[in-house]
């Protein structure tokens, strides 16, 4: 009987203990674990590039203007019209300039008549001078009469020279008036396509200090160029002849090959940032590109093949402070804590970290990657030298090449989960400490 009482007492003690444990598990503080997202170290090609935005233009654009003022009388070209060299594009009202041509012709006729009259005066003066000279030799007239005849001849010759000059002046005035009349015909200087038309019939254009533009003609739309603004930080990496890729919002699925053809020396300041214009030639045989389109340009400045590369996100990652502290304590009691592990991993260095997982300002933190194994933090590695980057991957160089292997998993992010959630659903290994 006494034995049965002891068994019952022991049973109830076990029931109460189990209830207390279950209550603690369900109602007590829960353990927080960290689940890490990782990316592996890989080997392959990496390309460094400079990205910018620019505008598409035709390689050769010709602005067609007018050298005379007038009213547009006729239009023979419109937007997108193909034109040939010498083709009539527009006609200004020629009436005013035609009247100036007629006026110049009349002025030339008057000048020629004056010249003919002056020539006749010269002929008469020559005869009078010869006759008076003969009479003087025969002592039939006074010397003064002979001298007057010579003077009249000189005056007649001067008058003839003056009228001949007026004839030349009238001829030039007529030629200028006829040239201005020809300028009323707006002629295409090249073969191409009309990109823009700035005038309509009846509109008056005034050619004063600046020639007004009537048409813009693109000579060859199969060869386009992109003018991209490159920041002064990146302009030193850009050189003529470099390959580039252009993408356009109008053709999201297409990439257009381009080549850097010019790096202009003239600086431009945009929002207090100094930029330089880089011109890229783009082939447009399919006529997909149109002037004025916005291009997203990626200029390939350097390329490396068959190199070991690490994800750039790994350099931006810092584990939570309590996870680092707990792992550091675990490593601290290990006699081999200062040696690489069997997998070649480097133990976590003894550093101080601030609250919330941030660094206390140690500059090496920006070049440290955190190594994982089985989903748990196992060490860190200081990257002593880096090569080129494509903003997603970074080329690994220096001593780190001998301390890390291809396929090594690097932590790039983490999430906080409870022990119950992590054990039930994530299936990912976690490392962390109690909060």
């Amino acid at each position: 009987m006494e034995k049965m009482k002891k068994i019952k007492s022991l049973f109830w003690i076990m029931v109460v203990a189990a209830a207390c444990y279950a209550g603690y598990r369900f109602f007590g503080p829960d353990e927080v674990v960290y689940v890490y997202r990782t990316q592996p170290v890989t080997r392959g090609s990496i390309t460094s590039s400079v990205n910018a935005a620019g505008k598409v233009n035709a390689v050769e654009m010709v602005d067609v203007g007018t050298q005379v003022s007038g009213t547009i009388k006729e239009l023979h070209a419109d937007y997108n019209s193909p034109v040939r060299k010498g083709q009539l594009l527009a006609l200004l009202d020629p009436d005013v300039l035609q009247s100036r041509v007629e006026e110049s012709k009349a002025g030339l006729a008057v000048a020629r008549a004056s010249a003919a009259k002056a020539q006749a005066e010269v002929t008469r003066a020559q005869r009078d001078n010869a006759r008076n000279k003969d009479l003087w030799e025969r002592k039939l007239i006074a010397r003064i009469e002979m001298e007057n005849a010579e003077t009249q001849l000189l005056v007649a010759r001067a008058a003839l020279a003056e009228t001949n000059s007026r004839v030349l002046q009238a001829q030039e005035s007529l030629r200028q008036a006829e040239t201005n009349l020809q300028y009323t015909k707006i002629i295409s200087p090249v073969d191409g396509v009309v990109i823009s038309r700035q005038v309509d019939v009846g509109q008056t254009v005034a050619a004063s200090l600046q020639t007004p533009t009537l048409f813009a003609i693109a000579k060859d739309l199969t060869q386009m160029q992109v003018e991209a603004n490159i920041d002064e930080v990146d302009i030193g990496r850009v050189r003529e002849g470099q390959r580039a890729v252009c993408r356009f919002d109008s053709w999201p699925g297409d990439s257009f090959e381009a080549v850097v053809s010019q790096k202009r020396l003239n600086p431009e300041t945009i929002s207090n940032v100094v930029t330089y214009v880089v011109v890229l030639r783009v082939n447009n045989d399919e006529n997909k590109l149109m002037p004025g389109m916005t291009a997203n340009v990626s200029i390939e400045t350097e390329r490396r093949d068959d190199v070991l590369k690490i994800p750039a996100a790994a350099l931006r990652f810092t584990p939570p402070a309590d996870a680092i502290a707990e792992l550091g304590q675990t490593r601290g009691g290990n006699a081999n804590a200062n040696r690489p592990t069997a997998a070649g991993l480097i133990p976590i260095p003894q550093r101080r970290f601030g609250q919330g997982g941030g660094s206390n300002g140690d500059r090496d933190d920006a070049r440290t990657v955190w190594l994982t194994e089985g989903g748990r933090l196992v060490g860190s590695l200081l990257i002593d030298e880096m090569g080129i980057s494509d903003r997603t991957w970074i080329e690994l160089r220096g001593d780190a090449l001998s301390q890390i292997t291809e396929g090594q998993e690097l932590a790039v992010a983490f999430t906080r989960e409870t022990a119950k959630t992590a054990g039930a659903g994530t299936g990912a290994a976690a490392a962390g400490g109690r909060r």
Side-chain angles (χ1 to χ4, degrees), residues 4 8 13 24 34-35 103 107 163 211 247 308 330 333 335 354 378 430:
M4 289 297 295
K8 289 181 179 181
I13 291 173
Y24 177 80
Y34 298 103
V35 178
E103 181 181 357
T163 54
T211 302
R247 295 179 175 85
L308 204 63
T330 303
V378 294

Side-chain angles (χ1 to χ4, degrees), residues 351-427:
R351 296 202 195 105
R352 293 171 49 207
F353 287 83
Q355 296 297 325
S359 169
N360 69 339
D362 188 350
R363 296 179 62 182
D364 288 342
D365 292 341
R367 306 183 69 176
T368 299
V369 293
W370 297 87
L371 315 174
T372 65
E373 191 175 74
R376 305 177 68 88
L377 285 182
V378 294
S380 66
L381 177 64
L382 180 64
I383 306 301
D384 58 327
E385 184 179 353
M386 293 180 288
I388 65 174
S389 170
D390 62 359
R391 294 180 175 81
T392 301
W393 297 94
I394 300 174
E395 179 190 3
L396 192 61
R397 294 181 178 178
D399 295 338
L401 284 173
S402 61
Q403 300 175 353
I404 197 169
T405 59
E406 181 181 355
Q408 171 64 57
E409 295 288 339
L410 304 180
V412 297
F414 72 91
T415 57
R416 290 183 175 89
E417 297 186 7
T418 64
K420 290 181 291 185
T421 304
T426 63

Side-chain angles (χ1 to χ4, degrees), residues 64-103:
V64 180
T66 176
Q67 298 187 38
V68 295
S69 301
T71 303
I72 301 296
K73 185 177 182 179
E74 300 175 5
L75 282 177
H76 297 274
D78 204 348
Y79 290 96
N80 302 338
S81 297
V83 295
R84 306 291 295 179
K85 183 178 181 179
Q87 178 178 333
L88 180 65
L89 302 179
L91 178 66
L92 299 179
D93 190 349
D95 291 344
V96 175
L97 295 177
Q98 181 64 51
S99 64
R100 290 181 181 175
V101 170
E102 299 301 328
E103 181 181 357

Side-chain angles (χ1 to χ4, degrees), residues 15 66 72 79 114 122 171 177 212 228 234 267 313 336 339 345:
V15 170
T66 176
I72 301 296
Y79 290 96
S114 298
V122 169
Q171 288 176 341
D234 298 322
N336 296 322
R339 304 180 194 171
L345 306 180

Side-chain angles (χ1 to χ4, degrees), residues 301-315:
T301 58
E302 200 170 358
R303 180 183 176 87
R304 295 279 190 275
D305 294 319
D306 193 28
V307 296
L308 204 63
K309 54 185 183 179
I310 61 174
L315 288 173

